[in-house]
């Protein structure tokens, strides 16, 4: 019996897919409508935004497992409201939402237990669960005019489930969970003893939502963890700061916070200068958020207008976030369509199967690129899809 070199929680084979290989061959000679790095998209950074990183207080180190009190106080002002105040003690800082997920999977699951994750959604969730020795069990969103929770599938979840993850708004569908579904989900979690993990990193970016989206921080009957981060809120992924807001029944909330503090104390991963700067980063980061909202709304209109000449295509409503879907006829492999667009028309988009859509027929487009770049990319996308439809 041969010796095993590596743990099974990491893939046995690591290799690029055909789309990644084609992108590498083209060496950037294409319009990229998949970009998700806001620092590469030309947003204006207010001069005051990063000034606080020079605070001399950052030269001293004082370990606070949950995060420095001033940083958590600033976050409580951001995520709370007069109707729903948040105490700073309810917040734990992490280096990223990925680390927040890792902490929560450690907190809630023994190895071999499971969490429910939405499909379609960002594929990172499955990798993060696997790295913690946890099974990611998908539950599917139903597309019936809008993407919504499938409660029949949720109710049939296996006994090993310890928590359910919702992404609100979802990446990449942009769909929000309506208030009635949110209440039904809270009731189901309470009945099953599940915790609720609500990833709300895109909640500050409503696009076509009706009214102000409601946060899961209002949950009272079930242990709830709400995630946010600087990566999205202030378009600063390089500063590595995110947060977990713990809500729910007071006794369970306090027990969870004590154990999260134990986990966080083993890592102490958030840099001190970033914690000292956090109040100012949040204050001025809102200006960057507004730029992103404005651009994403404009680019979404550009996408709809640019593809309107092709009646076989549609762009579903986008409640919020940085992405949009293009629904295309299911006439063959998405991968072949994406490679055709990339190699023949020099425009990059994601195929839907990257995000575990239930069937072929979706392309995913980032709304972040600069206006002129995005307009040029949509023109190439329309030309390439028109050629494909003409040949089909």
């Amino acid at each position: 019996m041969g010796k095993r070199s590596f743990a099974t929680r990491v893939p046995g084979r690591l290799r690029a897919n055909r789309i990644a290989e084609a992108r590498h061959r083209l060496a950037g000679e294409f319009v990229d409508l998949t970009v998700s790095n806001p620092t590469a998209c030309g947003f204006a950074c207010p001069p005051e935004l990063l000034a606080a990183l020079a605070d001399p207080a950052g030269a001293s180190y004082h370990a606070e497992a949950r995060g420095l009190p001033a940083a958590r106080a600033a976050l409580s002002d951001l995520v709370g409201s007069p109707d729903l105040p948040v105490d700073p003690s309810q917040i734990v800082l992490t280096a990223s939402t990925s680390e927040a997920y890792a902490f929560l999977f450690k907190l809630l699951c023994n190895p071999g237990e499971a969490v429910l994750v939405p499909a379609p959604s960002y594929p990172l969730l499955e990798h993060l669960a696997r790295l913690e020795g946890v099974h990611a069990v998908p539950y599917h969103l139903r597309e019936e005019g809008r993407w919504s929770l499938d409660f029949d599938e949720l109710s049939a979840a296996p006994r090993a489930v310890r928590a359910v993850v919702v992404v609100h708004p979802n990446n990449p569908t942009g769909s929000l969970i309506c208030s009635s579904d949110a209440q039904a989900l809270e009731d189901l979690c309470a009945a099953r003893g599940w915790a609720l993990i609500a990833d709300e990193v895109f909640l500050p970016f409503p696009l076509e939502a009706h009214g102000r989206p409601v946060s899961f921080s209002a949950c009272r009957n079930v242990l709830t963890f709400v995630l946010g981060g600087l990566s999205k809120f202030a378009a600063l992924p390089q500063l590595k700061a995110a947060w977990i807001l713990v809500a729910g029944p007071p006794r369970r909330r306090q027990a969870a916070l004590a154990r999260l503090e134990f986990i966080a104390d083993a890592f102490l991963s958030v840099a001190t200068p970033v914690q000292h700067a956090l109040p100012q980063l949040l204050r001025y980061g809102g200006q960057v958020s507004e730029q992103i909202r404005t651009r994403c709304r404009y680019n979404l209109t550009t996408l709809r207008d640019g593809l309107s000449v092709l009646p076989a295509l549609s762009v579903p409503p986008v409640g919020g976030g940085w992405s949009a879907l293009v629904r295309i006829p299911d006439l063959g492999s998405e991968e072949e369509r994406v490679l055709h667009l990339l190699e023949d028309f020099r425009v990059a988009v994601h195929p839907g199967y990257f995000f575990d859509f239930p069937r072929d027929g979706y392309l995913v487009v980032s709304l972040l690129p600069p206006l002129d770049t995005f307009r040029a990319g949509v023109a190439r996308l329309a030309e390439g899809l028109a050629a494909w439809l003409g040949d089909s």
Side-chain angles (χ1 to χ4, degrees):
M1 188 174 184
K3 294 182 178 179
R4 190 187 70 210
S5 298
F6 304 108
T8 56
R9 72 183 64 209
V10 294
R13 299 179 67 187
L14 297 169
R15 63 181 184 184
N17 58 47
R18 291 174 64 202
I19 296 171
E21 289 173 348
R23 291 173 64 111
H24 180 72
R25 285 196 309 272
L26 293 172
E29 294 298 319
F30 53 87
V31 178
D32 190 357
L33 296 187
T34 69
V35 61
S36 60
N37 176 6
T39 68
C41 293
F43 295 104
C45 181
E48 303 88 351
L49 183 63
L50 299 179
L53 290 171
D55 187 338
S60 300
Y61 179 63
H62 176 66
E64 287 277 358
R66 295 192 192 186
L68 294 176
R72 290 186 287 120
L75 282 167
S76 70
D77 291 339
L78 176 73
V79 300
S81 68
D83 296 332
L84 189 66
V86 169
D87 191 282
S89 66
Q90 293 176 246
I91 294 172
V92 176
L93 292 183
T94 65
S96 64
T97 51
S98 294
E99 185 178 67
Y101 277 115
F103 282 10
L104 293 174
F105 294 160
K106 288 178 175 71
L107 172 72
L108 299 169
C109 301
N110 290 321
E113 292 183 324
V115 293
L116 295 173
V117 298
S121 193
Y122 194 62
L124 182 62
L125 294 175
E126 182 179 352
H127 298 316
L128 293 172
R130 181 174 176 174
L131 287 171
E132 297 303 322
V134 172
H135 296 298
V137 177
Y139 66 90
H140 294 89
L141 304 181
R142 298 182 300 183
E143 187 183 13
E144 298 175 348
R146 63 178 179 86
W147 296 90
S148 60
L149 301 177
D150 186 336
F151 282 96
D152 290 337
E153 189 171 359
L154 285 166
S155 298
R159 293 172 60 90
V161 166
R162 301 290 298 152
V164 56
V165 176
V166 293
V167 184
H168 176 66
N170 181 271
N171 177 18
T173 67
S175 53
L176 291 152
I177 298 174
C178 68
S179 57
S180 60
D181 278 2
Q183 184 59 60
L185 180 61
E186 184 178 354
D187 293 342
L188 179 61
C189 287
R192 295 295 181 87
W194 297 340
L196 177 58
I197 302 172
D199 186 332
E200 297 187 354
V201 296
F202 287 113
L203 199 62
F205 304 96
L207 299 184
E208 297 177 319
H210 299 292
R212 183 179 180 184
V214 177
S215 169
F216 277 87
S217 60
C219 286
R220 287 289 175 265
N221 299 321
V222 64
L223 184 60
T224 303
F225 305 91
V226 181
L227 310 186
L230 280 185
S231 175
K232 305 300 185 294
F233 177 78
L236 293 171
Q238 71 275 35
L239 293 194
K240 310 310 297 177
W243 51 88
I244 305 169
L245 165 63
V246 185
R251 289 184 65 180
R252 293 203 70 198
R253 185 179 70 214
Q254 293 306 320
L257 281 162
R259 288 157 178 80
L260 270 178
E261 183 172 347
F262 174 84
I263 295 169
D265 192 49
F267 292 87
L268 296 173
S269 54
V270 187
T272 297
V274 174
Q275 294 192 60
H276 278 292
L278 195 57
Q280 187 156 320
L281 294 170
L282 296 174
R283 185 179 310 121
Y284 291 102
Q287 297 180 30
V288 184
S289 296
E290 183 56 37
Q291 292 179 56
I292 294 175
R293 284 190 292 271
T294 299
R295 182 181 294 179
C296 287
R297 288 168 180 158
Y298 185 92
N299 282 345
L300 181 57
T301 298
T302 299
L303 181 65
R304 292 190 190 283
D305 290 345
L307 299 183
S308 63
V309 296
L310 300 171
L313 311 180
S314 63
V315 179
V318 184
W322 294 358
S323 298
L325 302 181
V326 178
R327 191 185 290 115
I328 62 176
D330 187 359
L331 299 173
S333 164
E334 286 176 345
E335 183 173 68
E336 295 302 327
R337 296 285 69 76
V338 169
L339 286 169
H340 167 71
L341 290 166
L342 181 60
E343 295 173 339
D344 296 341
F345 293 88
R346 294 296 193 266
V347 59
V349 296
H350 283 313
Y353 78 83
F354 275 11
F355 302 88
D356 291 327
F357 279 82
R359 59 178 177 82
D360 281 350
Y362 296 93
L363 303 177
V364 179
V365 173
S366 169
L367 299 173
L368 284 183
L371 306 183
D372 291 344
T373 300
F374 190 82
R375 190 178 301 111
V378 170
R380 296 186 187 194
L381 178 61
E383 183 182 6
L385 290 175
W388 166 56
L389 291 169
D391 293 337
S392 297

